[in-house]
């Protein structure tokens, strides 16, 4: 698990890992399935299976700070701090952010195949 870093950095790394899992997950799944889901790195080429998963998602996605708490005030504060620094609008609630064009764009970009 990601540890000994700021909560902001942990969330950003985890969100990036989740985004990449959405993008690359199906192909990684097929590669793992072909090797009966073995976690032995030696069974995969350097650009497949567990190697690809670690490259695109890191060793672990910190689900506790990303998914399980995605609607808490800390996450909203982080979004607002990043927006303030970037000159974007701030949101009064997680619901307001979730219904925003910015959230829709993040979701669209995160699920777009590269």
């Amino acid at each position: 698990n990601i540890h000994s870093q700021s909560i902001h950095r942990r969330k950003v790394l985890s969100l990036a890992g989740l985004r990449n899992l959405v993008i690359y997950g199906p192909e990684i799944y097929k590669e793992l399935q072909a090797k009966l889901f073995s976690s032995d790195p030696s069974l995969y080429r350097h650009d497949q299976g567990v190697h690809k998963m670690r490259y695109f998602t890191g060793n672990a996605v910190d689900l506790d700070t990303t998914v399980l708490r995605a609607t808490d005030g800390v996450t909203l504060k982080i979004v607002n701090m990043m927006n303030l620094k970037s000159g974007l609008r701030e949101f009064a609630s997680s619901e307001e952010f979730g219904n925003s064009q910015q959230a829709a764009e993040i979701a669209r970009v995160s699920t777009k195949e590269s």
Side-chain angles (χ1 to χ4, degrees), residues 42-55:
S42 68
L43 296 177
Y44 303 93
R45 292 191 339 229
H46 75 281
D47 62 344
Q48 288 188 334
V50 293
H51 301 292
K52 184 187 290 182
M53 182 173 60
R54 287 184 182 138
Y55 177 82

Side-chain angles (χ1 to χ4, degrees), residues 82-114:
M82 291 189 303
N83 282 359
L84 182 63
K85 185 176 180 179
S86 301
L88 301 172
R89 73 176 271 223
E90 295 180 60
F91 299 95
S93 68
S94 295
E95 184 176 346
E96 181 184 359
F97 172 68
N99 292 325
S100 72
Q101 183 61 38
Q102 182 182 7
E105 180 67 12
I106 290 169
R108 186 188 66 74
V109 170
S110 297
T111 58
K112 185 178 179 182
E113 290 189 0
S114 50

